[in-house]
């Protein structure tokens, strides 16, 4: 199927005969494959003698289009699953990971119907306004450093958004997983780890980016924003281009993290952090308290000085930063 798609992507028109010869298939078999691709969402026209023509859709996340735009060596170069609608790209990718999908595999969709946040919360954003996707990592990191994958993806996506928006906006990271523009959340990350005591099997990192929403309803109207709102773009923005930037940035950031460790990675993260040196409220499953965020340790945990002067390590939970997303 991949070969047929690559041929359709590479040629404006391609005759049935050329396809038959190149793939050593009968016309009936080619026609069956074309029908299958159509059922998957590809808009393929049969233009008489000129042959088949794949509509160059503006912004669908079909694997053949995504691969065509990539300049990476592993990110997005392995298995890519795509469906027009999935409940959650993280759930889809976890299944692929359990079946052995390699490092760099992706799960994509155009609509996510049951997007998941952390701690059982939900992630909203129906339709193509949202870029919902998940990337599979099988990193060369010790298991205690697995949380750094979330921070690495946040750093890469922040950088990708800025490149995508021609540096007209700046993106901050609220520890551990929120991307913030002008005090509001434009993207969230859900990382799910599979590991045993001494090794990581895989990390599924799902990111939902608000790309083309013009407004938000209810509570989100106070706390959420989108790239379209922030850039004041008249036309809708291309999610596929953003995804391509992200995958390139991700390779660079992971390379630094795996080869230079925290010494190389920490400065990249710190310069974007909107949490460090700020007054924060920490809510964990056990308690709730106020302090000042000091730094990130080698495992990605946040170190916070509480009001009694004790430095406390926060590895999971919610950290509100004064002045952001409605916390004052
Ligand atoms: C997150 O959780 O921010 C993680 C979101 C991850 C979503 C991606 S989409 C692709 C992949 N597949 C999935 O199923 N999930 C991932 P958390 O920190 O728990 O934040 C959730 C909270 O963010 C919600 O309770 C809302 O308050 C808020 N929220 C929900 N939808 C939002 C949106 N579109 N924009 C901004 N804030 C939102």
């Amino acid at each position: 199927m991949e070969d047929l798609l690559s041929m359709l992507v590479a040629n404006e028109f391609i005759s049935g005969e050329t396809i038959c010869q190149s793939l050593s298939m009968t016309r009936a078999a080619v026609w069956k494959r074309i029908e299958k691709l159509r059922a998957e969402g590809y808009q393929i026209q049969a233009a008489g003698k000129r042959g088949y023509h794949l509509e160059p859709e503006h912004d669908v996340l079909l694997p053949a289009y995504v691969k065509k735009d990539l300049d990476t060596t592993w990110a997005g170069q392995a298995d890519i699953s795509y469906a027009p609608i999935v409940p959650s790209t993280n759930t889809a990718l976890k299944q692929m990971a359990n079946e052995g999908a390699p490092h760099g595999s992706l799960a994509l969709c155009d609509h996510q119907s049951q997007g998941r946040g952390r701690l059982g919360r939900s992630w909203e954003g129906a339709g193509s306004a949202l870029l919902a996707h998940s990337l599979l990592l099988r990193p060369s990191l010790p298991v205690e450093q697995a949380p750094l994958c979330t921070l690495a993806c946040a750093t890469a996506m922040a950088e990708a958004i800025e490149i995508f928006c021609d540096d007209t906006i700046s993106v901050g990271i609220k520890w551990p997983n929120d991307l913030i523009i002008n005090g509001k959340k434009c993207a969230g990350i859900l990382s799910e780890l599979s590991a045993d005591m001494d090794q990581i099997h895989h990390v599924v990192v799902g990111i939902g980016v608000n790309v083309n929403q013009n407004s938000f309803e209810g509570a989100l109207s106070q706390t959420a924003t989108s790239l379209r709102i922030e850039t004041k773009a008249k036309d809708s923005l291309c999610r596929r281009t953003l995804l391509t930037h992200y995958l390139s940035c991700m390779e660079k950031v992971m390379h630094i993290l795996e080869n230079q460790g925290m010494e190389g990675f920490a400065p990249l993260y710190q310069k974007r952090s909107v949490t460090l040196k700020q007054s924060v409220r920490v809510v964990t499953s056990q308690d709730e308290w106020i302090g000042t965020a000091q730094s990130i340790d080698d495992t990605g945990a946040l170190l916070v000085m509480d009001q009694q002067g004790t430095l406390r390590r926060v590895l999971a939970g919610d950290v509100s930063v004064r002045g952001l997303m409605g916390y004052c």
Side-chain angles (χ1 to χ4, degrees), residues 73-75 103 135 137 139-141 148-149 152-153 155-156 246-266 268:
T73 54
W74 58 264
H103 181 59
L135 175 66
L137 301 176
S140 323
L141 292 172
L148 288 174
C149 292
C153 290
T155 305
Y246 165 64
L247 294 170
S248 305
C249 292
M250 192 54 207
E251 278 202 0
K252 287 185 210 132
V253 173
M254 277 312 278
H255 184 79
I256 291 170
L257 181 59
E258 289 179 330
N259 293 284
Q260 301 172 23
M262 282 307 269
E263 206 179 315
F265 172 67
L268 299 180

Side-chain angles (χ1 to χ4, degrees), residues 88-90 112 114-119 121-125 130 132-134 177-178 185 188-190 206-208 210 213 216 220 223-224 318:
S88 155
T89 54
N90 264 36
Q112 184 173 254
Q114 289 163 41
R116 295 188 285 116
R118 295 179 307 140
L119 308 166
R121 292 185 288 240
S122 62
W123 182 256
E124 292 175 30
L130 182 75
H133 70 281
S134 304
N177 71 323
D178 292 340
K185 180 162 170 172
I189 304 178
L190 175 66
I207 311 190
N210 299 326
Q213 289 94 333
F216 291 87
L220 290 189
T223 57
D318 279 316

